[in-house]
Amino acid sequence: MSPKALAIRDPNYVERVKDAFARQGFLRHVDARVEEVAPGRCVIAADFRSELAQQNGFFHGGLLGTIADAAGAGAAATLIEPGQGLLTAEYKINFLTPAKAARLRAVGEVARAGRTLSVSQVNLYGIDAAGQEQLCALATVTLMILEREAPSFQKN
Amino acid sequence: MSPKALAIRDPNYVERVKDAFARQGFLRHVDARVEEVAPGRCVIAADFRSELAQQNGFFHGGLLGTIADAAGAGAAATLIEPGQGLLTAEYKINFLTPAKAARLRAVGEVARAGRTLSVSQVNLYGIDAAGQEQLCALATVTLMILEREAPSFQKN
Amino acid sequence: MSPKALAIRDPNYVERVKDAFARQGFLRHVDARVEEVAPGRCVIAADFRSELAQQNGFFHGGLLGTIADAAGAGAAATLIEPGQGLLTAEYKINFLTPAKAARLRAVGEVARAGRTLSVSQVNLYGIDAAGQEQLCALATVTLMILEREAPSFQKN
Amino acid sequence: MSPKALAIRDPNYVERVKDAFARQGFLRHVDARVEEVAPGRCVIAADFRSELAQQNGFFHGGLLGTIADAAGAGAAATLIEPGQGLLTAEYKINFLTPAKAARLRAVGEVARAGRTLSVSQVNLYGIDAAGQEQLCALATVTLMILEREAPSFQKN
């Protein structure tokens, strides 16, 4: 992204991203945590436990998608204006290798910050007990920018 | 799908799908349950609770993706041979309307059952307290068929 | 889609969809044609010729994606207001079986007609010389609704 | 990708990729050309002309998807064994900004080279008359590796 596109429009963006994250029951339920917030960037992590696994002891693909969505939305949220909100329009995740790891780390970066839509790319890494990272999944997240923090119900 | 493509290769497919589901810690953690298993079809449901929500009281998009992946994989799993396994290669979900609902229901159906790859389509419905359904998301799930139940670690 | 969601807002929608199609040089270059336009629905077809093929004599995947995008956009275009325009935000296509066929037919249907975004689903069929259809690909197309027919250039 | 994963298995990979490209009628029909082939990487370009455009004078989204598919497949093709073939299983493209440009350039890079599936990421750039590049689209391409160059017809 060009420097112009990454211009921060809300000086309180770090606090706002962390606050939005904290209010999401599902992200707390999966014990995801915010590791880093920077302009156009958000890193989310989760530690392995059996409640996050599928039957072979890997992180579950649904959990990876959840973390990817959170990292992509968090990255896009750093660039919106005060009072605006975001809603995920769609996301897509490719699993590259089974995520057998002690920890999962999703790095979301904004590829496009538009007025109506933002697009984030997310790289997901499995990190083993020795701290070695392996890229295990790739995701793209498209977000719709809302003129208020919560969507209205009369959308049609 | 044509009748030939939906041919059952494992007479114990219902039990196998339910068993694979039950062994996934993450699906238990999100209280997802199998509602229906039929040739080329699997329906997964979850009841609303705040642990599955985002900040506006809707089902979280990551939870919808998780349920979609489970329904798509379950549908594909009905058509594999005894001893084979499945691994999600990728999935993609479009959110059509915020899922403010008492219950979520994901209907997965196989669009293609190949030797190496299967593709499932999933419709996700929000169901309100009065039992009225609304289509709230669409997903596509691509699955890789494994010659044994668990993936090996020397994949490269 | 519910009847309300499929309400036509522009009585000249058929003409407008066909006109927008005719002004796209690339759709003429691939000899795509509009077969049907109805509320929330658009069918696009193309006949096989070697200029549309890949190396094994199948319709090229890029051509299938092009036809899918056109069918999905055409379906969404039936439901917008006079003076509005559409721009594809993203599309995704799964190839189910190689499209070795005399003719290709893409059936696009609107899954969601919103104020800002529309989502269409597209089924692509290969049709052999005897007229028999086979589902060969599935696509999802997300479209952004513009308040004028052409996008402005100062989008950032 | 790690050096091991990018190991070349066919010393004639450059020739093979260019040859497979040249045999695809659709890629010739859209005047796409191979600009670069390297281990795990393939760059495809096309010059603007009205036959590749949509109604507003941008490169058509279907053409961008076609070029993305070609670049992603070309990148994956550099890493397969002699005698193997590739078939696109699915691709997904996000349009970031309308591609109003003199030239289009798609840079495909392998994110995962497996035994059965490969995944490539593609960045698409519009290049104006002054040679300035702008990222205009992102794509992900999933490819199935075939044990011979062409798919058989009794796939089920």
Side-chain angles (χ1 to χ4, degrees):
Chain A
M1 293 291 290
S2 67
K4 182 193 163 211
L6 286 181
I8 293 299
R9 297 176 181 99
D10 178 358
N12 296 319
Y13 73 95
V14 175
E15 187 180 308
R16 187 164 40 73
V17 170
K18 289 186 174 175
D19 184 56
F21 191 94
R23 282 182 289 127
Q24 301 194 47
F26 191 54
L27 297 181
R28 289 197 309 270
H29 190 52
V30 303
D31 280 344
R33 61 181 183 275
V34 181
E35 281 213 338
E36 184 191 335
V37 179
R41 179 179 162 97
C42 181
V43 181
I44 306 290
D47 293 327
F48 184 81
R49 53 198 181 94
S50 61
E51 286 89 349
L52 306 184
Q54 42 85 279
Q55 66 271 41
N56 303 310
F58 311 134
F59 276 106
H60 193 280
L63 186 269
L64 271 77
T66 299
I67 300 293
D69 177 27
T78 64
L79 302 181
I80 60 176
E81 294 176 20
Q84 288 185 325
L86 284 175
L87 211 53
T88 301
E90 61 90 29
Y91 67 81
K92 190 250 202 259
I93 183 163
N94 273 70
F95 302 100
L96 306 181
T97 193
K100 183 101 177 179
R103 194 155 66 91
L104 187 69
R105 192 165 166 266
V107 179
E109 296 194 324
V110 173
R112 158 81 181 168
R115 281 184 313 194
T116 308
L117 293 179
S118 286
V119 178
S120 296
Q121 278 195 299
V122 186
N123 284 356
L124 293 106
Y125 302 91
I127 304 171
D128 65 19
Q132 193 142 15
E133 279 199 355
Q134 184 179 23
L135 183 66
C136 63
L138 299 173
T140 309
V141 186
T142 304
L143 299 126
M144 188 160 57
I145 297 168
L146 306 172
E147 287 313 311
R148 41 191 155 175
E149 289 183 32
S152 82
F153 284 99
Q154 272 70 36
K155 288 192 65 185
N156 281 316
Chain B
M1 294 291 290
S2 67
K4 181 195 163 212
L6 286 181
I8 293 300
R9 297 175 180 100
D10 178 359
N12 296 319
Y13 73 94
V14 174
E15 188 182 306
R16 187 165 39 74
V17 169
K18 289 186 174 175
D19 183 56
F21 192 94
R23 284 182 288 126
Q24 302 194 47
F26 191 54
L27 298 181
R28 288 197 309 270
H29 190 52
V30 303
D31 280 344
R33 60 181 183 274
V34 181
E35 282 212 337
E36 184 191 335
V37 179
R41 180 178 161 98
C42 180
V43 181
I44 305 289
D47 293 327
F48 185 81
R49 53 195 180 97
S50 60
E51 285 88 350
L52 305 184
Q54 41 85 281
Q55 67 270 42
N56 303 310
F58 311 135
F59 276 105
H60 194 279
L63 186 269
L64 271 77
T66 299
I67 300 292
D69 177 28
T78 63
L79 302 182
I80 60 176
E81 294 175 20
Q84 289 185 324
L86 284 174
L87 211 53
T88 301
E90 60 91 29
Y91 67 81
K92 190 250 202 261
I93 183 165
N94 273 69
F95 302 100
L96 305 182
T97 193
K100 182 102 178 178
R103 195 156 65 90
L104 186 70
R105 193 164 164 267
V107 179
E109 296 194 324
V110 172
R112 158 82 181 166
R115 282 185 313 195
T116 310
L117 293 179
S118 286
V119 178
S120 295
Q121 279 195 298
V122 187
N123 284 355
L124 293 106
Y125 302 91
I127 304 171
D128 65 20
Q132 192 142 19
E133 279 198 355
Q134 184 178 24
L135 182 67
C136 62
L138 300 173
T140 310
V141 187
T142 305
L143 299 125
M144 188 159 56
I145 297 168
L146 306 171
E147 287 313 311
R148 39 190 157 176
E149 289 183 32
S152 81
F153 283 99
Q154 271 70 35
K155 288 192 63 183
N156 280 316
Chain C
M1 295 290 291
S2 67
K4 182 195 163 210
L6 285 182
I8 293 299
R9 297 174 181 100
D10 177 359
N12 296 318
Y13 73 94
V14 175
E15 186 181 310
R16 185 163 43 73
V17 169
K18 290 187 174 176
D19 184 58
F21 191 93
R23 283 182 287 127
Q24 301 194 47
F26 191 54
L27 298 181
R28 289 197 309 270
H29 189 52
V30 303
D31 279 344
R33 60 181 183 275
V34 181
E35 282 212 338
E36 184 190 335
V37 179
R41 178 178 163 97
C42 180
V43 181
I44 306 288
D47 293 327
F48 184 80
R49 53 194 181 97
S50 61
E51 286 88 348
L52 305 184
Q54 41 85 282
Q55 67 269 43
N56 303 310
F58 312 135
F59 276 105
H60 194 279
L63 186 269
L64 271 77
T66 299
I67 300 292
D69 177 28
T78 64
L79 302 181
I80 60 177
E81 295 176 19
Q84 289 185 325
L86 286 174
L87 211 53
T88 302
E90 62 89 30
Y91 66 81
K92 189 250 203 262
I93 182 163
N94 275 67
F95 302 101
L96 304 182
T97 193
K100 182 100 177 181
R103 195 155 65 90
L104 186 70
R105 193 164 165 267
V107 179
E109 296 194 323
V110 172
R112 157 81 180 166
R115 280 185 315 194
T116 308
L117 293 179
S118 285
V119 178
S120 296
Q121 279 196 299
V122 187
N123 284 356
L124 293 104
Y125 301 91
I127 305 171
D128 66 19
Q132 193 143 17
E133 280 198 354
Q134 184 179 21
L135 183 67
C136 62
L138 300 172
T140 310
V141 186
T142 305
L143 298 125
M144 187 160 57
I145 297 168
L146 307 172
E147 287 312 312
R148 38 191 157 175
E149 289 183 32
S152 81
F153 284 99
Q154 272 69 39
K155 289 192 63 185
N156 281 316
Chain D
M1 295 289 290
S2 66
K4 183 194 162 213
L6 286 182
I8 293 300
R9 296 175 181 100
D10 177 358
N12 296 318
Y13 73 95
V14 175
E15 188 181 308
R16 187 164 40 73
V17 169
K18 289 186 175 176
D19 184 57
F21 191 94
R23 283 183 288 127
Q24 301 194 47
F26 192 54
L27 297 181
R28 289 197 310 269
H29 190 52
V30 304
D31 280 345
R33 59 181 183 275
V34 181
E35 281 212 339
E36 185 190 336
V37 179
R41 179 178 162 98
C42 181
V43 181
I44 306 289
D47 293 327
F48 184 81
R49 52 196 181 95
S50 60
E51 286 87 351
L52 306 184
Q54 42 84 281
Q55 66 271 41
N56 303 309
F58 311 134
F59 276 105
H60 194 279
L63 186 270
L64 271 79
T66 299
I67 300 291
D69 177 27
T78 64
L79 302 181
I80 59 176
E81 294 175 20
Q84 289 185 326
L86 285 174
L87 212 52
T88 301
E90 61 91 29
Y91 67 82
K92 190 249 202 261
I93 183 164
N94 273 69
F95 301 100
L96 305 182
T97 192
K100 182 100 177 181
R103 195 156 64 90
L104 186 69
R105 193 165 165 266
V107 179
E109 297 194 323
V110 172
R112 158 81 180 167
R115 282 186 312 195
T116 309
L117 293 179
S118 286
V119 178
S120 296
Q121 279 195 301
V122 186
N123 284 355
L124 293 106
Y125 301 91
I127 305 172
D128 65 19
Q132 193 142 18
E133 279 198 356
Q134 184 178 23
L135 183 67
C136 62
L138 300 172
T140 309
V141 186
T142 305
L143 299 125
M144 188 159 57
I145 297 168
L146 306 172
E147 287 314 312
R148 42 191 155 175
E149 290 183 31
S152 81
F153 285 98
Q154 272 70 38
K155 289 192 65 184
N156 281 318

